Amino acid sequence: MKKLKYVLLMVIPLFFLLLTGCSKLSLSTTKKEYSPDGLVAIIKGKATNYQKLTYTVAGKTKKVAVDGGHFAISVPVSDKNQNVRIKAINDDKTETSLVKVKKATPLKNYLEFAQAYNYTMLSTGQADDQLQLISENGISTHKKADGTKWYLNVQNNQLMGVATQFPYKDLKSKTGQKNFATDLMIVSKLLGADGQKVLKDFAKQTKNADKNSTKTSIDPIKSNGINFNINLATKGFYLYITKY
């Protein structure tokens, strides 16, 4: 009995010590510097035993969503380096992680792009398809008359990236094909790319992708310094236009 009591006296404190260790506040990220990925940079990390988890960038603080202890923060890329402060709090304990999002090359001055785009739409009889001439920092959504949504990342009046999502079913119709081809041609030309080359490469790439259903992306298309990256999803594809 004395031996049993001795063992318990040794094991119980160790047990609670282990519990304390498992529930310790912790915060970590996979890198200290992150590069652009499409319109954003994705900061990944882990956090445990926190009561509040936030991140702050450009003076704005937002909550961090966590799934199974892991998190992914999407920060719109800018023409300037950005410091992102991630903070985990549990009562009087605090853990902080500071990471950098690397700057990227803008596609074009946003005001110049918007003015050129609006003029093009007016000249083609699409007066209801106009971009705002002044845009706040962030990613905005431009919904066209045909229902297509284009996403524009504008930072410091610089157009950093353009993206869209297009369903495969729309490409099966002549109207859908025409709408997408026209939009891609216009945006490509306004950004200084060779629209004809981009369309030709896109048609070739997607045709090859149809033959290989396991592919999730196709080779990047490049024209005059502009990058066209396409990710394939189950019901459609995502197109990202950047210069980085």
Side-chain angles (χ1 to χ4, degrees), residues 29 33-44 54-64 71-86 99-104 137-139 153-155 160-161 244:
T29 56
E33 291 187 350
Y34 291 85
S35 299
D37 182 12
L39 303 190
V40 301
I42 302 175
I43 301 170
K44 297 180 179 179
T54 60
Y55 74 96
T56 302
V57 59
K60 296 182 179 180
T61 300
K62 299 181 180 180
K63 291 183 179 180
V64 178
F71 62 81
I73 303 170
S74 296
V75 178
V77 294
S78 175
D79 59 332
K80 296 179 174 61
N81 289 328
Q82 300 178 86
N83 292 321
V84 182
R85 184 180 297 276
I86 308 168
V99 300
K100 182 172 84 172
V101 172
K102 295 180 180 179
K103 65 180 180 180
N137 288 353
I139 298 176
N153 177 22
V154 179
Q155 303 289 332
M160 303 303 302
Y244 38 85

Side-chain angles (χ1 to χ4, degrees), residues 20-61:
T20 303
C22 292
S23 60
K24 183 180 179 181
L25 173 65
S26 67
L27 174 65
S28 63
T29 56
T30 57
K31 301 176 184 178
K32 288 299 180 184
E33 291 187 350
Y34 291 85
S35 299
D37 182 12
L39 303 190
V40 301
I42 302 175
I43 301 170
K44 297 180 179 179
K46 297 180 181 180
T48 59
N49 197 39
Y50 62 90
Q51 293 175 335
K52 186 178 181 181
L53 185 64
T54 60
Y55 74 96
T56 302
V57 59
K60 296 182 179 180
T61 300

Side-chain angles (χ1 to χ4, degrees), residues 2-12:
K2 288 183 178 180
K3 187 176 181 180
L4 178 60
K5 288 182 179 180
Y6 176 76
V7 171
L8 290 174
L9 287 173
M10 293 294 292
V11 171
I12 291 175

Side-chain angles (χ1 to χ4, degrees), residues 121-142:
M121 292 299 103
L122 284 172
S123 64
T124 56
Q126 302 179 66
D128 57 341
D129 184 358
Q130 301 285 291
L131 290 174
Q132 291 185 348
L133 296 181
I134 299 176
S135 179
E136 296 182 356
N137 288 353
I139 298 176
S140 60
T141 303
H142 175 62

